[in-house]
């Protein structure tokens, strides 16, 4: 899966794993499940925070688990080509036609050779979601070993 804009998090499970290693000899299924639930919560938070025009950006937000053994983590991101522009904003820039000699859109008074775009403000959705990793992790890790 190739993501144009992405952020990642790593959860160090050593403290939990040391106590569980005596019993399981590897990372317990409960710890792996807590990490996976954290990943899904962060993904859902990013989707909730994503601005919606057509819904394409929101629906493109995905995550995948990474690592294994002593340290596991995840990557969350979007593969739409404008996701970085939404997350970080854009500086003022000039828009010129690619395939024609002029730009025109419905409502324009006449075709123009270029448009001076003022830029866009950032609308972060990935970074605030990833910053909530610890909150989600603590909630799920507190349930480890409880059934």
């Amino acid at each position: 899966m190739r993501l144009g804009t992405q952020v990642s998090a790593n959860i160090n499970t050593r403290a939990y794993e040391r106590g569980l290693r005596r019993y399981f000899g590897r990372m317990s299924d409960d710890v792996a499940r807590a990490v996976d639930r954290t990943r899904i919560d962060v993904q859902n938070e990013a989707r909730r925070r994503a601005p919606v025009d057509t819904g394409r950006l929101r629906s493109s937000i995905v995550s995948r688990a990474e690592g294994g053994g002593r340290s596991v983590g995840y990557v969350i991101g979007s593969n739409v080509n404008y996701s970085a522009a939404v997350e970080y904003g854009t500086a003022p820039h000039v828009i010129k036609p690619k395939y024609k000699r002029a730009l025109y859109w419905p409502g324009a008074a006449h075709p123009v050779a270029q448009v001076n775009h003022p830029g866009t403000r950032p609308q972060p959705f990935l970074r605030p979601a990833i910053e909530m990793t610890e909150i989600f992790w603590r909630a799920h890790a507190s349930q480890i070993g409880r059934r």
Side-chain angles (χ1 to χ4, degrees), residues 69-90:
R70 293 182 179 263
S71 182
V72 295
Y74 54 89
V75 173
I76 180 170
S78 167
N79 64 355
V80 296
N81 61 350
Y82 55 87
S83 60
V86 173
E87 179 79 14
Y88 299 105
T90 61

Side-chain angles (χ1 to χ4, degrees), residues 3-86:
L3 302 174
T5 304
Q6 67 183 31
V7 293
S8 63
N10 215 17
I11 298 172
N12 186 340
T13 59
R14 280 195 196 120
Y16 296 97
E17 187 180 358
R18 272 195 297 270
L20 295 170
R21 188 174 291 275
R22 286 178 248 144
Y23 303 105
F24 299 105
R26 60 177 174 78
M27 186 184 324
S28 78
D29 291 339
D30 287 344
V31 172
R33 203 169 13 261
V35 171
D36 200 48
R37 288 180 178 154
T38 300
R39 175 186 61 82
I40 291 167
D41 284 347
V42 172
Q43 174 183 295
N44 289 339
E45 183 67 20
R47 287 179 178 169
R48 186 186 71 73
R49 290 173 175 268
V52 177
D53 186 10
T54 65
R56 183 172 172 225
L57 176 62
R58 177 175 280 177
S59 66
S60 75
I61 298 170
V62 295
S63 63
R64 70 172 181 266
E66 287 196 338
R70 293 182 179 263
S71 182
V72 295
Y74 54 89
V75 173
I76 180 170
S78 167
N79 64 355
V80 296
N81 61 350
Y82 55 87
S83 60
V86 173

Side-chain angles (χ1 to χ4, degrees), residues 78-110:
S78 167
N79 64 355
V80 296
N81 61 350
Y82 55 87
S83 60
V86 173
E87 179 79 14
Y88 299 105
T90 61
H93 56 282
V94 175
I95 301 173
K96 293 182 178 183
K98 284 185 179 181
Y99 306 110
K100 304 282 183 175
R101 288 191 280 164
L103 297 169
Y104 182 80
W105 58 93
H110 54 80

